[in-house]
Amino acid sequence: MDHRPVNDFVPELEQRLNTLREQNLFRELGRVDSPQSTQIQVAGKALLNFSSNDYLGLADHPALKTAAVRAVEKFGVGSGASRLVCGSLAPFHELEETLACFKKTQAALTFSTGYAAAIGTLCALLGRDDIVILDKLIHACIIDAAKLSGAKIRVFAHNDLADLEDKLSWTKSQSGRQKSRTLVVTETIFSMDGDAAPLREIVGLKNKFGAWLMVDEAHATGVAGKDGRGLADEAGVAAQIEIQMGTLGKALGASGGYICGSRALADFLVNRARSFIFSTAPVPASAAAATAAIQLLQSPEGEQRRNALHQRLEQFNSDFLFANQKPAGAIIPIILGQEDRAMDASRKLREQGIFVPAIRYPSVARGKARLRATLSAAHSPGDVSVLTGALKELTRR
Ligand SMILES: *Cc1c(COP(=O)(O)O)cnc(C)c1O
């Protein structure tokens, strides 16, 4: 075969990659040869894992695995088509009924990922005449969704109610002839900073201005509130939130994204969310595993696991305070600033057999690089001591 380049495509990409390397922003995949758990095998080495969003240790749980295997035996592996064509297999319906019941909403709709849920939902609901107001630290999938929707985007300072009110007031001056809608979007527990949104106040503001609200509970579902229902339920404002979104891939240990809300919302998304309509349904095994996870959350074992997680977090907080506010969920950011500092810290921990990833731009702002440690119910108190000991050593220097 002739491998002579027809143009400069590959050299151009190599140059772009070199720029990333120079800025300490180059990323690589590390192959993992074990299930997700507190110990993972990376490149032949066992590492104590503080990087996963599997906060309750469900990703390798026997109840989820059994449910997935049974679904494979009964429904096979692939779904064959989009849900609207012929792929709407029973496990998706069971999952959505279980989810709606769990979140106490009229309905739920699941997507192949949380990312696809965000894209499908924002683009279905908003158009060029509308306005979307985002928290400064909102997840990339919401930013991408907002851009793709064509709506006017406004950003308020992170968790800053006065700034949100300013932006909402501004929308009043905009709603002229067209029937313009305003949607506010926030996370409830933030993915990279681990803090919580002032949800009651945000709900108060969106009601005052007649806006809609969407909350992303990706890091709260399973972790926060009674039975792990999330922060909206805990704050007692869930019924006033138009759109509750989340993922089945973090504390729920499976895979997929969800939207919970009114029957009208779910029906509308089935008709209008392009990432739902024009995409093959996920595998039934993941839906069955997610259903088992939601049932487990509401059992005594679920309670035990959440308690264990909160005990580990308390232990971490009392052993190691690094200009850190008490995290709202299981995410502990240790902000180091320059990208190379975070990379260096992560490398040093890894040499000691501890895996805490360095998070850099574009996951966080430039110059706000950090270690992001996540705890799990499956960590032992000894695991947490190993982490806090190593972090103390590292930050002393
Ligand atoms: C992970 C994440 C998502 C995306 O969910 P996936 O199921 O992983 O696609 C959305 N929002 C937030 C805040 C997340 O952290």
Side-chain angles (χ1 to χ4, degrees):
M1 249 186 81
D2 187 356
H3 279 291
R4 269 174 308 177
V6 293
N7 56 31
D8 61 356
F9 180 67
V10 170
E12 151 103 37
L13 293 190
E14 273 162 0
Q15 201 192 336
R16 291 190 202 178
L17 287 168
N18 279 335
T19 306
L20 288 176
R21 285 191 188 93
E22 281 156 22
Q23 298 175 337
N24 285 311
L25 294 175
F26 182 74
R27 300 177 177 208
E28 295 176 275
L29 295 171
R31 172 176 160 156
V32 179
D33 287 298
S34 62
Q36 282 301 320
S37 89
T38 55
Q39 292 273 346
I40 52 171
Q41 285 286 332
V42 185
K45 195 176 170 189
L47 297 175
L48 187 53
N49 182 18
F50 294 99
S51 68
S52 174
N53 301 314
D54 176 26
Y55 302 126
L56 297 175
L58 299 187
D60 191 38
H61 190 286
L64 277 71
K65 290 201 281 191
T66 303
V69 168
R70 286 209 182 118
V72 168
E73 282 163 355
K74 197 161 171 202
F75 294 98
V77 179
S79 291
S82 158
R83 296 265 306 269
L84 279 165
V85 177
C86 70
S88 200
L89 302 177
F92 301 117
H93 294 262
E94 277 162 27
L95 170 59
E96 285 160 359
E97 282 158 25
T98 308
L99 248 175
C101 200
F102 176 61
K103 288 277 182 179
K104 302 182 198 156
T105 53
Q106 276 179 354
L109 189 70
T110 56
F111 290 72
S112 52
T113 63
Y115 192 105
I119 299 276
T121 303
L122 263 70
C123 293
L125 290 170
L126 302 176
R128 291 173 55 176
D129 295 333
D130 302 317
I131 298 164
V132 58
I133 306 181
L134 309 176
D135 185 285
K136 171 88 178 141
L137 296 187
I138 197 82
H139 191 263
C141 69
I142 306 283
I143 297 172
D144 295 354
K147 285 183 183 164
L148 192 61
S149 77
K152 278 199 201 90
I153 301 175
R154 288 293 176 274
V155 174
F156 66 101
H158 176 53
N159 279 347
D160 186 331
L161 294 165
D163 196 25
L164 173 58
E165 182 153 17
D166 263 9
K167 300 293 183 298
L168 281 163
S169 307
W170 169 85
T171 64
K172 287 287 152 196
S173 68
Q174 294 295 303
S175 48
R177 296 181 305 278
Q178 285 104 355
K179 217 175 151 203
S180 167
R181 296 296 183 187
T182 299
L183 175 69
V184 177
V185 192
T186 186
E187 289 176 44
T188 59
I189 292 178
F190 281 83
S191 65
M192 294 300 145
D193 288 63
D195 54 345
L199 264 193
R200 272 195 214 108
E201 292 79 1
I202 290 175
V203 167
L205 280 175
K206 74 98 186 170
N207 285 341
K208 177 174 164 190
F209 287 89
W212 297 337
L213 178 62
M214 173 165 169
V215 297
D216 181 349
E217 297 246 47
H219 297 276
T221 295
V223 172
K226 170 134 190 348
D227 290 337
R229 283 201 170 81
L231 232 54
D233 182 68
E234 189 176 53
V237 292
Q240 296 178 65
I241 296 172
E242 284 76 15
I243 308 147
Q244 298 183 55
M245 154 187 173
T247 175
L248 309 166
K250 288 172 179 156
L252 296 187
S255 165
Y258 70 78
I259 298 286
C260 286
S262 56
R263 181 82 256 160
L265 172 64
D267 290 348
F268 182 70
L269 293 177
V270 167
N271 282 275
R272 278 285 178 269
R274 295 170 65 88
S275 62
F276 178 88
I277 299 167
F278 297 107
S279 187
T280 301
V283 296
S286 71
T291 302
I294 298 165
Q295 283 158 351
L296 193 145
L297 288 183
Q298 302 171 83
S299 73
E301 187 189 340
E303 178 90 38
Q304 278 160 21
R305 283 183 179 255
R306 270 189 307 283
N307 288 341
L309 174 62
H310 291 124
Q311 279 162 17
R312 301 299 168 270
L313 281 160
E314 260 163 42
Q315 182 194 341
F316 183 94
N317 285 329
S318 66
D319 284 5
F320 182 80
L321 282 171
F322 180 71
N324 233 335
Q325 291 158 321
K326 198 170 180 275
I331 301 157
I332 302 155
I334 298 146
I335 297 173
L336 297 171
Q338 288 312 308
E339 283 67 28
D340 57 341
R341 277 196 70 199
M343 295 290 284
D344 215 45
S346 180
R347 203 174 304 119
K348 284 189 180 125
L349 290 172
R350 195 151 160 174
E351 282 160 14
Q352 301 167 55
I354 303 169
F355 185 28
V356 181
I359 304 289
R360 294 165 285 164
Y361 177 84
S363 302
V364 295
R366 283 182 199 269
K368 292 259 176 77
R370 65 198 62 188
L371 292 173
R372 175 184 184 267
T374 50
L375 296 188
S376 156
H379 283 121
S380 69
D383 293 339
V384 176
S385 299
V386 170
L387 175 64
T388 55
L391 286 175
K392 277 183 201 161
E393 182 67 20
L394 194 72
T395 48
R396 191 176 299 139
R397 278 177 253 144

